[in-house]
Structures are given as C-alpha cells and as structure tokens.
Amino acid sequence: MPVKYNAIIIRFGSEIGTKSPRVKVRYEKSICDYIRRLLEHHSVSFEKLEYTYGRAYLFTNETSEASELLTRVFGISSFSPAISTTSDIDQIADVCVSLAKEEFIPNATFAVRCRRVGTHPYTSLDVNRIVGERILSSLKDLNLKVDLENPMYTMGIEIREDKAFIFLETIEGPGGFPIGSQGRVVCLISGGIDSPVAAWLMMRRGCIPVFLHFDLGDFGDKRTRDKVTRLVRKLSEWMFNTPLRVYIVPHGENLQEIKDKCMDNLTCVLCKRVMYRVAERIAEMEGAVAIVTGEAIGEQASQTLHNLAVIEEATKGVPVIRPLVTFEKVETERLARRIGTYEISAEEEKGCAAAPKRPSTRARMGVVLKEEQKLDIERMVEIALERAEKFEIKYGNGDN
Ligand code: ATP
Ligand code: MG
C-alpha cells in the first residue's frame, strides 16, 4: 500500500521546557492556538491539533502546506511530517516497511528509533528490533543494512497510548518563545539589511515590535519609505495575527540643522542621539520597555564600541538592545535570507548624504554635549513627534 502522510509531530522550543510546568503549558497552548489560527487563515484543513505536554500532533492530509507554515511559527523547535497509525505492532511494522520501500535507495543503511509513552505489550527496544527485522526481511532486494551509528535514514516511531506516528524527516523550526510572551519594544528600522534582522530576533524571543523609521528627507532616498513598509510586511509573516505598528518620523530638517551648526565629524553621533531620544519618547507612549537597533560593533564609524556608549548616553531610562552587536555581516545576511527580508533590503538605495567624509570613531562626550548646546534638541524631538505618521501593517494586506 502506498504511504500517505496524514499528521505532523510538533516539538516545542527546548527553552520552553525549562519553565515551570504551569508556564510551559500556557506557552505551549498559546503556540497551538496560533497554529490553529494560522492554518485556518491559509485554508489548510486539519482534523485536529492535539496538545500533550511538550508535543502537539497535527492531523492533516495537507502536510506539505502545513509544514511550509510551521517553519515560521515561533516556539517550535522542530517538526516531522508523519504517518499516523494505531499502536498495534504489526500495523506499525507494515507502515514502516511501506515507507522504507518508497523512500530507501538500494544498499542504504538505516536505524529505527522508537519513543514510547503509555502502556503497551512491548518496549521501545522491542519495537526497534521487530521493525528493523521486518524491513530487512521484506525488502531483501534493496540490500539494506542496519547502522545505528551513522545511518542514511532514521525511521522515527513515536508511540503515544493507542496511536503511533512514523516519520523519516525532522525539520527545524525557528525556536524562541510564543508571540507576545514578552513586552513591547521600539525597533529602529532603516531599510538596510541589519535592522529587520535585529527586530526579528526580538520577535523570536516573544517581543512585540513597534517600528520606528526616520525619513531623512533630502539626505535620504525616496524609495526607502516603501522599502521599510515592505520589510515590515515581510516580518508580519512571522506574527500574522498581530497588526504591526509603524511610526515614520521626519528627520531631514533635524539633520540639516546638525549639518549647519555642528562639527562635521560628529554628524552621525549627533543624528543617532536625536533618533534615540525620539525612540525613547515613543517607547513611553507605547508602553515599550526597550529600544532595539541593528547596530554591530565597528560596522560603521558611529558603531565603534566607544561611540555606541556616547550615543546611548542620550537615553535616560529605556535600555537599548542591539541583538546583532557581535554578528559578522555574513551571519546577518544569512539570517536575513532565512527570514525573507534580504531581497528587499538589498534593493539599491543611495546611502545617507549627510554622512561626513571623516566621521569620528571616538567622539568625546564633553565635545558632543557642547555641540548639542548649539541645537534646540527639545524642539527637534517635539516637532518630530508632532509630525510623526503612524499606521499599522496587518499580515495579508499586500503581497504576502
Ligand atoms: P542597517 O543595515 O540596519 O540599515 P546600517 O548598517 O546602515 O544599518 P547605520 O546607518 O549606522 O547602519 O544604522 C545603525 C542602526 O540605526 C540601524 O540598524 C537602525 O536600527 C538604526 N537606523 C539607522 N538609520 C535609521 C533610520 N533612517 N530610521 C530608523 N532607524 C535607523
Ligand atoms: Mg548596519
């Protein structure tokens, strides 16, 4: 008989397992709720999603459509499309033989690995042995061999009470915590490669992002605004049921004032200090507990460890979190590809025209404070907030 995948075993993030039983169950159930709504939203039909401590079993005939969606669910560490059957050992062995017949290439090596919960007339070791022998004896033509150390195929069998699930493949999930299990954060997003990745890393840990983009006006590129919108829409694929708030704040005039009045080599540091102050105010308005940026040590002149400290001094209470602080660019790019933001970020765009030729990599705090006295920073922040544009991006309202 041809095998038909009709279930998916879902394993929750290993870190969720370290929580108290009460929190663990709450987290895992909230991930299950999210999965149900995600599948319904995409019209992927399923019979049921059964939750048991540490695992969930999705019964569906549309396993490939469902798998595609599960790769983007925070809190899942891995999942396996499976064939569900009863816990009867003969039935299990029959399914395993059919699956091996369809999938194993001649001369392949394999192992059988069983996990078992419940009361059964056999142990897991019995299952491994019986199924292994049945595969060998039923598929003699294939010249298969058992290799427990380094098998080409692992026939996974999970038996839970009166049901069994048989699978060959384990697909990695993103891990992390359920959506909204941590606080809100203000994410500074620029249109480049780094900032969407930084936001995603926070989202994965359960934070809800509020996006903040500074429109550089004549110093920027007209295309950036649209890029930012599309990036947020891409990120919404990972949080489909949460409308993502976006603030766009005019920053061109402020930048002009900094250029006109202050030392050229401090432009970037002064510009960022204004950004951080605006971010802090928005954090207060939004009840957000942190500011998030895509900064990484030494990536730009304004991002030397020294300058990061000087920039951060502008905030008074809200912590600044930089998830990419130690990332190599290639690592960030790899992650951006996986998240789906890379292509949008990589679209051509001209850099900030206000950036000086020789930016300071070691701005002196005293000098920065003195330069800021030439500016009416309070007013800059107030005007930025007054003119801020605010809107929400909801998953599905566009091309995703
Ligand atoms: P990215 O690759 O994220 O665009 P970058 O490498 O161009 O960043 P910077 O311009 O120094 O580096 O920006 C560092 C961080 O500051 C960004 O990751 C982002 O969080 C924030 N940032 C920079 N420009 C803007 C902007 N126009 N609006 C909002 N945030 C910004
Ligand atoms: Mg960067």
Side-chain angles (χ1 to χ4, degrees):
M1 57 162 185
V3 289
K4 183 153 175 30
Y5 283 90
N6 57 4
I8 301 181
I9 306 170
I10 297 168
R11 306 174 190 89
F12 297 109
S14 52
E15 266 183 84
I16 296 175
T18 65
K19 304 284 167 220
S20 71
R22 208 169 51 90
V23 173
K24 178 176 150 89
V25 169
R26 179 157 55 82
Y27 277 13
E28 292 178 345
K29 283 191 171 167
S30 97
I31 298 165
C32 287
D33 281 344
Y34 182 82
I35 295 170
R36 279 190 199 98
R37 275 179 286 160
L38 183 66
L39 295 169
E40 277 158 15
H41 183 87
H42 286 268
S43 311
V44 174
S45 63
F46 60 101
E47 193 192 318
K48 61 182 166 180
L49 177 65
E50 214 172 80
Y51 171 70
T52 60
Y53 201 66
R55 286 262 195 294
Y57 299 93
L58 175 67
F59 294 87
T60 175
N61 289 321
E62 298 177 45
T63 52
S64 42
E65 292 82 356
S67 294
E68 172 67 29
L69 294 172
L70 292 178
T71 56
R72 286 197 299 272
V73 176
F74 292 131
I76 293 181
S77 66
S78 72
F79 61 92
S80 295
I83 300 141
S84 77
T85 181
T86 69
S87 61
D88 177 80
I89 187 70
D90 282 325
Q91 289 221 6
I92 292 173
D94 281 349
V95 172
C96 290
V97 169
S98 304
L99 183 58
K101 190 170 173 198
E102 263 177 41
E103 298 289 338
F104 290 8
I105 57 167
N107 306 315
T109 58
F110 73 98
V112 181
R113 300 206 205 283
C114 173
R115 265 179 108 250
R116 196 181 62 84
V117 176
T119 320
H120 305 98
Y122 46 72
T123 66
S124 337
L125 290 178
D126 293 336
V127 176
N128 291 345
R129 185 179 44 77
I130 294 167
V131 171
E133 280 167 7
R134 279 280 294 277
I135 291 174
L136 289 173
S137 63
S138 310
L139 304 174
K140 284 213 176 73
D141 310 351
L142 287 179
N143 189 34
L144 303 169
K145 247 204 218 87
V146 171
D147 179 351
L148 299 180
E149 297 282 301
N150 192 19
M152 282 167 69
Y153 301 98
T154 300
M155 181 73 72
I157 304 173
E158 264 197 44
I159 305 172
R160 192 169 280 266
E161 311 298 348
D162 60 344
K163 293 194 187 77
F165 301 85
I166 292 132
F167 60 95
L168 286 175
E169 201 187 0
T170 295
I171 302 165
E172 212 187 305
F177 290 125
I179 291 161
S181 56
Q182 301 293 320
R184 284 153 92 81
V185 292
V186 172
C187 293
L188 269 67
I189 185 161
S190 65
I193 289 169
D194 305 322
S195 43
V197 175
W200 182 86
L201 286 167
M202 297 303 287
M203 290 161 70
R204 182 166 75 163
R205 294 303 282 184
C207 298
I208 304 272
V210 173
F211 290 97
L212 170 57
H213 173 66
F214 291 87
D215 180 343
L216 305 182
D218 293 341
F219 295 104
D221 187 320
K222 296 254 173 311
R223 292 167 288 189
T224 306
R225 187 197 161 98
D226 176 57
K227 250 177 122 175
V228 168
T229 311
R230 282 182 291 131
L231 284 168
V232 174
R233 188 168 295 135
K234 201 63 190 156
L235 288 168
S236 76
E237 288 180 12
W238 297 84
M239 237 178 221
F240 96 99
N241 58 344
T242 311
L244 297 179
R245 195 161 288 174
V246 183
Y247 283 84
I248 299 198
V249 169
H251 196 55
E253 284 175 27
N254 289 347
L255 207 40
Q256 187 64 57
E257 199 172 327
I258 293 170
K259 289 291 276 181
D260 290 345
K261 298 185 177 161
C262 303
M263 285 165 66
D264 195 46
N265 66 346
L266 292 180
T267 306
C268 296
V269 167
L270 294 167
C271 161
K272 281 281 154 60
R273 282 173 60 92
V274 175
M275 287 187 180
Y276 275 32
R277 287 182 177 101
V278 174
E280 187 162 39
R281 289 286 297 279
I282 290 182
E284 283 162 10
M285 282 154 49
E286 288 284 336
V289 291
I291 296 167
V292 177
T293 80
E295 288 156 328
I297 298 175
E299 208 229 354
Q300 311 271 352
S302 62
Q303 297 175 31
T304 58
L305 208 43
H306 177 91
N307 278 352
L308 289 177
V310 172
I311 295 170
E312 194 163 339
E313 194 275 341
T315 63
K316 295 292 172 268
V318 182
V320 179
I321 298 179
R322 305 180 176 98
L324 304 179
V325 77
T326 62
F327 274 43
E328 295 277 313
K329 195 72 183 185
V330 286
E331 292 173 309
T332 307
E333 287 172 352
R334 201 177 305 136
L335 205 43
R337 285 199 174 85
R338 177 167 165 217
I339 298 167
T341 52
Y342 182 84
E343 286 196 350
I344 303 171
S345 293
E347 283 171 20
E348 199 195 304
E349 164 186 46
K350 67 177 189 333
C352 176
K357 273 215 174 62
R358 284 183 208 292
S360 165
T361 53
R362 216 180 152 73
R364 295 206 347 245
M365 198 65 243
V367 179
V368 168
L369 292 175
K370 222 162 143 198
E371 288 301 294
E372 281 187 343
Q373 281 171 10
K374 300 176 186 166
L375 305 167
D376 188 348
I377 296 209
E378 290 272 303
R379 207 195 92 252
M380 280 182 167
V381 173
E382 288 309 327
I383 289 180
L385 290 170
E386 262 168 39
R387 296 193 190 154
E389 223 182 294
K390 180 174 145 186
F391 55 92
E392 275 181 353
I393 291 187
K394 182 126 173 57
Y395 174 80
N397 289 352
D399 52 8
N400 66 8

